[in-house]
Amino acid sequence: MPKVSVILPVFNGEQHIGAAVQSILDQSHKDFILNIIDDGSTDNTIRVLEKFDDKRIKITQNKQNIGLIDTLNKGLKLSSDSKFIARMDADDISVPKRLELQTNFLELNTNIDILGGASKYFGNSSKTRVKYQPSENAQIISAFLCQNSISHPTVMAKCEAFSQVIYDKNYPKYEDYALWINLINTCQFHNLSSVLLWYRRHNNNITNTYNEDHQNDFRLFSNIIKLLDNKLGCNFTETEILVISTITGRSRYDLHPNLEVNHIHDVLLGVLKKMTIERIDTKFLWTLLLGKVLKYLIYRKRFKDIFLFINLTKIHADVWRILKLQYSGK
């Protein structure tokens, strides 16, 4: 069995699947199998795939559409004999040395189980930008309170890390986020600063689709925070979960547009005290939380409250650095 198994689920991806597959076939690391699972496509996806003549490609077709999460779990089963499992999406492009960089790192750093990296966003008539993720395990776990700090399509992981877990259907859109949280007590995380992937933005991205239903998104994200709480034992209150869920996603800002600044400040201080545990970088987490609040207030055009919040938290010198951190993803 090849050292790396790349899992690539696809549904009606005829427009971009060819470029995604070719980017894997062009990798400098050659010891891999590309497990493409077609989830009942009704367009020309299969015809595009059949044009490739490479023994490293293995195509599995679902008889009918079963959804992304079940398809990903099928991919895990198909890849169970490999040493490493890598993820790839049908509309993205992996850089030529992606698999080489990740396999070399995991071979040299045997304590790391889950490895992600930076992505370059492009498409949708927007400027390209690079999104970085926190690098060290303590920062990554800390950031899970605010955001998914492991970019799913950049991931390579030890196969054994997935031996006791699967993607959970209770967390649609956040299935990878929930998977990482379920692994925080058994796995070590790391993110490379190198760009591993060109991430294509378009109107059919699953994130954009779910963001149309703000109430459902709020419920799902709140459940993510509860899952994290369960793993870390912080005992968050419903009020703390509400505030965190509101300030950490633009799709959720409008559900609670007028949270009082003093209330937000007090809640976050309480959350931070509960997160003062082993494996948590509280200084890093506080910086992330401040940035999330500032973005929330800016989006709501609550300019007086921005200055009030800055005075409350005494971040005069750091405010622009925090905003830059949030907008760049670093």
Side-chain angles (χ1 to χ4, degrees):
M1 192 71 177
K3 181 178 288 186
V4 179
S5 177
V6 181
I7 299 174
L8 197 168
V10 58
F11 173 67
N12 287 350
E14 63 177 351
Q15 186 175 1
H16 303 300
I17 186 65
V21 170
Q22 193 62 55
S23 75
I24 297 298
L25 299 181
D26 291 341
Q27 290 292 304
S28 56
H29 177 90
K30 305 298 182 184
D31 186 15
F32 67 83
I33 185 170
L34 176 56
N35 270 311
I36 304 173
I37 306 102
D38 177 70
D39 190 22
S41 292
T42 57
D43 64 356
N44 291 317
T45 293
I46 291 297
R47 292 190 183 90
V48 173
L49 293 175
E50 288 174 343
K51 293 179 181 178
F52 289 97
D53 183 18
D54 194 304
K55 294 181 179 179
R56 295 171 296 179
I57 296 178
K58 181 179 179 181
I59 301 174
T60 301
Q61 289 183 264
N62 296 337
K63 293 181 180 180
Q64 59 186 15
N65 182 263
I66 62 174
L68 176 62
I69 295 176
D70 283 336
T71 299
L72 286 171
N73 286 327
K74 180 179 282 192
L76 290 180
K77 291 181 180 179
L78 292 170
S79 305
S80 60
D81 292 334
S82 297
K83 184 174 184 179
F84 302 121
I85 293 175
R87 272 284 288 114
M88 181 66 188
D89 280 342
D91 46 6
D92 297 332
I93 299 172
S94 286
V95 302
K97 289 192 174 184
R98 174 194 167 181
L99 298 185
E100 178 184 347
L101 288 170
Q102 291 186 288
T103 53
N104 287 347
F105 186 91
L106 288 172
E107 295 278 18
L108 290 171
N109 299 273
T110 57
N111 62 310
I112 301 301
D113 304 286
I114 312 291
L115 179 65
S119 304
K120 181 172 284 190
Y121 283 54
F122 75 106
N124 226 16
S125 301
S126 59
K127 293 182 179 179
T128 60
R129 67 180 182 90
V130 175
K131 182 174 182 179
Y132 297 92
Q133 298 283 9
S135 59
E136 302 304 321
N137 189 63
Q139 294 181 340
I140 291 168
I141 293 176
S142 303
F144 282 147
L145 182 70
C146 304
Q147 62 196 38
N148 186 350
S149 47
I150 296 284
S151 176
H152 197 197
T154 71
V155 160
M156 181 182 286
K158 292 178 181 176
C159 183
E160 62 195 48
F162 296 123
S163 60
Q164 301 297 322
V165 296
I166 59 173
Y167 294 93
D168 192 335
K169 294 180 74 171
N170 290 315
Y171 300 93
K173 171 193 168 186
Y174 295 117
E175 68 278 346
D176 55 317
Y177 201 165
L179 183 68
W180 313 144
I181 292 173
N182 276 321
L183 291 170
I184 62 175
N185 291 326
T186 58
C187 290
Q188 293 281 314
F189 299 89
H190 189 83
N191 279 311
L192 299 175
S193 60
S194 304
V195 172
L196 302 178
L197 186 94
W198 282 64
Y199 181 91
R200 191 187 305 272
R201 298 304 302 264
H202 54 80
N203 292 333
N204 292 326
N205 284 116
I206 191 166
T207 301
N208 292 334
T209 302
Y210 275 97
N211 282 349
E212 293 175 2
D213 186 348
H214 296 181
Q215 287 284 359
N216 189 48
D217 183 63
F218 185 88
R219 178 185 62 81
L220 288 169
F221 195 86
S222 296
N223 287 339
I224 283 287
I225 300 304
K226 292 175 183 178
L227 179 64
L228 180 67
D229 187 11
N230 178 262
K231 295 297 179 180
L232 296 179
C234 296
N235 297 313
F236 295 136
T237 66
E238 288 296 325
T239 297
E240 290 167 340
I241 292 171
L242 182 147
V243 170
I244 294 167
S245 298
T246 300
I247 66 170
T248 51
R250 184 172 295 181
S251 67
R252 302 183 290 274
Y253 291 167
D254 292 339
L255 296 177
H256 301 96
N258 298 308
L259 291 175
E260 292 185 2
V261 169
N262 284 288
H263 177 61
I264 295 174
H265 176 255
D266 291 344
V267 166
L268 295 187
L269 283 179
V271 167
L272 201 67
K273 289 179 180 178
K274 293 180 178 182
M275 295 284 281
T276 309
I277 56 178
E278 189 179 356
R279 296 180 300 151
I280 297 297
D281 185 336
T282 52
K283 183 177 180 181
F284 179 78
L285 176 59
W286 183 239
T287 301
L288 283 180
L289 289 170
L290 294 180
K292 295 294 184 184
V293 176
L294 290 170
K295 287 178 69 175
Y296 164 73
L297 295 174
I298 289 171
Y299 181 83
R300 296 301 312 164
K301 298 182 180 180
R302 292 170 54 182
F303 301 116
K304 290 183 179 179
D305 285 337
I306 292 171
F307 291 105
L308 174 58
F309 186 73
I310 290 172
N311 287 328
L312 276 172
T313 53
K314 298 180 174 61
I315 56 171
H316 301 78
D318 290 340
V319 61
W320 298 116
R321 179 178 62 82
I322 293 167
L323 284 173
K324 182 179 178 182
L325 180 147
Q326 287 297 304
Y327 281 108
S328 68
K330 290 186 180 180

